Amino acid sequence: MVNLNEKVAIVTGGAKGIGQAITRELAKHGVKVVVNYNSSVGSAEKLIAELKEAGSEVYAVQADVSNLEQSRKLVEETINHFGRLDILINNAGITRDKTFKKLSEEDWRTVIDVNLNSVYNTSSAALPHLLESDAGRIINISSIIGQFGGFGQTNYAAAKAGLIGYTKSLALELAKSSVTVNAICPGYIETEMVKEIPEDIREKLISKVPQRRLGQPEEIARGIIYLCQDGDYITGQQLNINGGIYM
Ligand code: NAD
């Protein structure tokens, strides 16, 4: 079992929703966390103040991870501040749901840039440092939508499915190193992203979940701890945390 105390993690989009829960859980386990945010400065400042007050070592870095230069700067600032990097959580993501007929080129490209191209940006910058760790981790937050598709979600599904292929391929390439690469595929989790779905549609979605409820962000965060702490022999996998909606 890996001792997480004193390890250093970057959580992209780590100030809100699932990312915030991941930040909290890692900090609770003694990990020093860089909380990346793009526009959520208020949420980031509040979270940092609260976690520092509780004795955790956390640091916020503004960066748009769809931009390569800013992603490199995010990793550079992490190294400057904490001196090492062990865990990269690629969590930042957006939706721009529209049926394909109505989807603009910009809707397509923006979602692919933020949800998929960002992972090239952060991982390529982080990899040299992760390889120096005795238990490096890359964990990509994909989605059930990348596994079974979603109406009005061609852009999002393409990006999230892309993350799964990327996870397996990079895991193969790094299998002989100490870095594991895995994806977590959440089902419907109670965050702002899901609260944006109109209530009648949301109720229909919940009725399709065998466990008949939304998941909580903390349930994803505990999956992250499992992969970081007990995951030495787990690589190239998709951890489905979804109430049984996709098996
Ligand atoms: P959220 O909107 O609450 O959080 C997303 C975070 O990403 C926000 O903090 C946002 O500021 C950040 N972000 C967006 N664009 C960014 C950028 N360019 N650079 C840096 N940060 C950026 O959503 P969430 O529900 O917490 O989603 C987190 C991840 O989980 C996403 O990748 C999402 O696709 C995935 N996911 C969510 C659900 C769900 O039901 N909520 C299900 C499956 C997968």
Side-chain angles (χ1 to χ4, degrees):
M1 192 160 127
V2 176
N3 179 6
L4 293 183
N5 202 29
E6 301 289 308
K7 291 266 188 280
V8 174
I10 293 175
V11 183
T12 70
K16 283 171 40 184
I18 292 172
Q20 183 184 119
I22 295 170
T23 298
R24 286 179 186 282
E25 199 64 28
L26 287 169
K28 204 165 93 185
H29 283 76
V31 178
K32 299 174 183 176
V33 187
V34 169
V35 178
N36 157 250
Y37 65 96
N38 185 22
S39 54
S40 324
V41 60
S43 309
E45 281 173 355
K46 201 166 152 231
L47 180 65
I48 294 288
E50 188 197 317
L51 291 176
K52 276 192 173 165
E53 177 77 25
S56 297
E57 287 194 63
V58 286
Y59 182 66
V61 178
Q62 191 280 329
D64 173 356
V65 290
S66 68
N67 178 291
L68 180 59
E69 283 315 309
Q70 293 186 34
S71 302
R72 287 179 175 159
K73 206 182 95 243
L74 165 64
V75 172
E76 204 179 293
E77 279 198 45
T78 303
I79 300 299
N80 289 344
H81 193 79
F82 285 133
R84 58 184 290 150
L85 178 61
D86 303 278
I87 300 164
L88 172 64
I89 312 292
N90 287 312
N91 164 76
I94 55 166
T95 49
R96 290 237 184 133
D97 294 357
K98 277 173 204 165
T99 56
F100 191 67
K101 269 190 186 169
K102 292 185 186 150
L103 196 77
S104 69
E105 185 191 353
E106 203 222 331
D107 293 328
W108 175 268
R109 290 197 190 280
T110 306
V111 167
I112 300 288
D113 273 347
V114 175
N115 294 14
L116 183 60
N117 293 337
S118 62
V119 164
Y120 169 78
N121 299 339
T122 54
S123 308
S124 59
L127 190 55
H129 305 286
L130 297 173
L131 286 167
E132 285 176 16
S133 172
D134 58 346
R137 302 283 187 259
I138 297 178
I139 303 174
N140 303 307
I141 307 298
S142 176
S143 168
I144 41 163
I145 302 303
Q147 298 171 306
F148 63 38
F151 188 90
Q153 296 193 293
T154 49
N155 49 358
Y156 185 77
K160 293 299 188 183
L163 281 182
I164 295 171
Y166 153 85
T167 297
K168 292 179 183 178
S169 305
L170 189 60
L172 272 179
E173 290 185 24
L174 298 181
K176 285 186 184 157
S177 77
S178 57
V179 180
T180 65
V181 188
N182 290 289
I184 291 188
C185 298
Y188 299 112
I189 308 299
E190 200 164 0
T191 66
E192 269 174 39
M193 190 176 268
V194 161
K195 283 178 196 152
E196 276 169 18
I197 301 172
E199 199 178 337
D200 53 328
I201 298 177
R202 203 168 58 227
E203 287 308 316
K204 266 192 205 149
L205 292 177
I206 294 172
S207 73
K208 289 183 187 152
V209 180
Q211 291 191 340
R212 294 289 188 276
R213 67 171 176 88
L214 295 173
Q216 293 304 309
E218 294 71 25
E219 295 179 291
I220 306 302
R222 290 199 292 272
I224 295 277
I225 298 298
Y226 169 63
L227 290 174
C228 290
Q229 208 166 243
D230 298 292
D232 271 345
Y233 200 52
I234 304 174
T235 199
Q237 303 303 314
Q238 301 156 65
L239 179 57
N240 297 328
I241 305 180
N242 64 21
I245 194 169
Y246 178 78
M247 297 181 182

